[in-house]
Amino acid sequence: VSVKPCRRFALPAGLDTPVPVVDIEVLDANVGRMAAAMKARGVALRPHFKTPRMLEVARRQLDAGAVGITCATIGEAEALMASGVGDVFIAYPVWASEPKAARLARLLDLPGKLTVGIDSLVAARQLANGLAGCGRSPAVLVEVDSGDLRTGVRPERAGELARGVIELGLVVDGVFTHGGHGYEPDCSDEAADDEVRSLEAAAASLRNSGVQASVVSAGSTPTALRSARGAVTEERPGTYVFGDWQQVMLGSCRSDDVALVVASTVVSMSVAGQFVIDAGAKALSRDRPLWLNGHGCLPSYPQAVISRIFDHHAVCQVPPGSAMPAEGDVVAVVPNHVCPVVNLARNVVVTRNGEAIARWDVVARSI
Ligand SMILES: Cc1ncc(COP(=O)(O)O)c(C=O)c1O
């Protein structure tokens, strides 16, 4: 995969590194562009919260027209619903044993609508039994595997599972899938086709079982724009909101659209041909797809490759003759995968035109 140039990021002075820095104008542009694209296609947008994990970002997405928010954990749903977000979908095969059942029951006491993912009858039974005492239950979307081979039933089995879920006394609103197999170079078109085909087959399977699929939900950043068609009623991209190096290299976001970098300080240049920054795995994570060279991109030093990463160090190798920073310089790193990067931080610095204007807290970290 060839290296693409990355936009330089204006960092405010005086940062306590390593720290994630968000450019609010790029963020707002990303929020607005995806909202407009989905509106133009007549498809609802339900952004995934596992990427921003900041209530300020969710609020901006909702204000721009998102119908609700997607999340992966009960903790994320708790943070969202406690802050007044009224329509939350936990797009995950929730296993409702204690104490999770009690937490779900408390969420059901809050105003708004809660939906959960189910991909087996045993999980549905656990959900129904776990919530039997509370007299309320979340709506259910049946998860379908569209080729990612992670979770979800075969599309043609969706109707049978939906019927079983309904017989347990739960309400099935429809089906969902995640085309995660689009996370390879040149695979996103095919993954988007797979999402649409699988969801349409699953919706037909529900119909044949006498169940109406009013929600047909697809979603990932590489596929979102391409699978928002046909029977699909909703998209759930998350990473688009900040973008990251992986998305740039996949072609699902432009380098100009990267809204978050990790500011880090050059702490050592004692070994020839390299410099070391203070953003290690505890700031950048270790996420590196096999097809991607290095642990992120340094827009000011595009020839540098983050070749090795330790808890608190990242070694940036530089070919002979290329520009080098000096000890103490603060450099921006576009992380490979922004979602774990945000999850590692307590808060982020928000900037406008290179000036720090706010700090936003990261909520519901890890669980
Ligand atoms: C079920 C589900 N929906 C939506 C998303 C959002 O996808 P992306 O991170 O590509 O934006 C994810 C990401 O892992 C997911 O697992």
Side-chain angles (χ1 to χ4, degrees), residues 48 50 91 150 176 178 183 219-222 236-240 247:
H48 207 304
K50 83 188 172 77
R150 184 178 69 176
F176 80 104
H178 168 62
Y183 269 87
S220 77
T221 293
R236 308 181 315 276
T239 309
Y240 80 95
Q247 300 295 343

Side-chain angles (χ1 to χ4, degrees), residues 20-106:
V21 178
V22 170
D23 182 326
I24 199 167
E25 287 182 357
V26 181
L27 166 72
D28 282 342
N30 292 346
V31 167
R33 201 176 329 99
M34 186 61 82
M38 290 306 150
K39 192 169 175 211
R41 288 164 174 76
V43 169
L45 177 61
R46 184 183 291 278
H48 207 304
F49 192 60
K50 83 188 172 77
T51 308
R53 317 185 83 85
M54 288 173 245
L55 297 170
E56 292 84 350
V57 177
R59 188 47 60 199
R60 293 172 117 77
Q61 291 170 315
L62 291 164
D63 288 348
V67 296
I69 301 289
T70 303
C71 55
T73 67
I74 294 176
E76 291 166 1
E78 285 166 343
L80 288 161
M81 293 186 81
S83 83
V85 176
D87 190 341
V88 171
F89 170 35
I90 307 177
Y92 193 86
V94 172
W95 187 258
S97 53
E98 290 302 338
K100 286 190 167 62
R103 291 168 73 190
L104 284 171
R106 281 196 292 277

Side-chain angles (χ1 to χ4, degrees), residues 4 146-148 177-197 218-229 235 246-253 291:
K4 299 186 183 183
S146 51
D148 194 27
T177 195
H178 168 62
H181 54 308
Y183 269 87
E184 295 279 336
D186 304 319
C187 285
S188 52
D189 278 342
E190 211 176 311
D193 287 348
D194 290 343
E195 282 185 322
V196 177
R197 207 178 313 113
S220 77
T221 293
T223 58
L225 296 178
R226 295 167 241 214
S227 62
R229 59 186 155 91
E235 289 283 346
Q246 179 172 222
Q247 300 295 343
V248 172
M249 297 302 276
L250 285 170
S252 20
C253 94
W291 51 267

Side-chain angles (χ1 to χ4, degrees), residues 272-275 301 303-308 315-319 324:
Q274 70 178 43
F275 59 94
Y301 299 94
Q303 306 301 329
V305 174
I306 305 179
S307 57
R308 288 185 296 147
V315 175
C316 310
Q317 273 190 317
V318 184
M324 279 281 217

